[in-house]
């Protein structure tokens, strides 16, 4: 089964994701930038924000929990600004 899957993938050529990553990497390279993989674990938004705020400096790396906490505090303290995004569409009519 695994062999057949491998053969099928080999015949199919590069996936759309592989092509996208290749083109994106090529566009970033002249600017000395690179992709950074973030685990898709439900915390990925906050992990990516923490990574960018740390600007690659491992010594000052922020914790995603801290970013999530700050975002939650901000949303709570500005609830009226976010209420339209939190209500279901049928609740607005």
């Amino acid at each position: 089964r695994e062999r057949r899957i491998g053969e099928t993938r080999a015949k199919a050529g590069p996936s759309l994701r592989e092509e996208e990553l290749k083109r994106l990497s090529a566009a970033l390279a002249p600017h000395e930038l690179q992709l950074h993989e973030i685990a898709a674990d439900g915390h990925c938004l906050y992990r990516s924000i923490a990574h960018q705020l740390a600007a690659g400096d491992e010594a000052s790396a922020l914790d995603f929990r801290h970013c999530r906490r700050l975002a939650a505090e901000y949303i709570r303290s500005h609830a009226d600004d976010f209420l339209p995004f939190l209500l279901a569409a049928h609740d607005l009519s």
Side-chain angles (χ1 to χ4, degrees), residues 32-90:
E32 297 182 10
L33 299 172
Q34 60 186 3
L35 293 172
H36 180 80
E37 290 290 326
I38 301 290
D41 62 356
H43 304 291
C44 50
L45 171 66
Y46 303 99
R47 287 185 191 279
S48 63
I49 292 169
H51 176 266
Q52 290 300 297
L53 291 175
D57 181 8
E58 297 300 323
S60 68
L62 297 174
D63 180 43
F64 75 89
R65 290 177 211 88
H66 181 68
C67 289
R68 184 180 279 274
R69 201 172 310 115
L70 289 174
E73 288 171 10
Y74 185 85
I75 291 169
R76 283 188 194 105
S77 67
H78 298 86
D80 289 342
D81 295 335
F82 293 92
L83 196 58
F85 302 102
L86 301 174
L87 294 174
H90 66 275

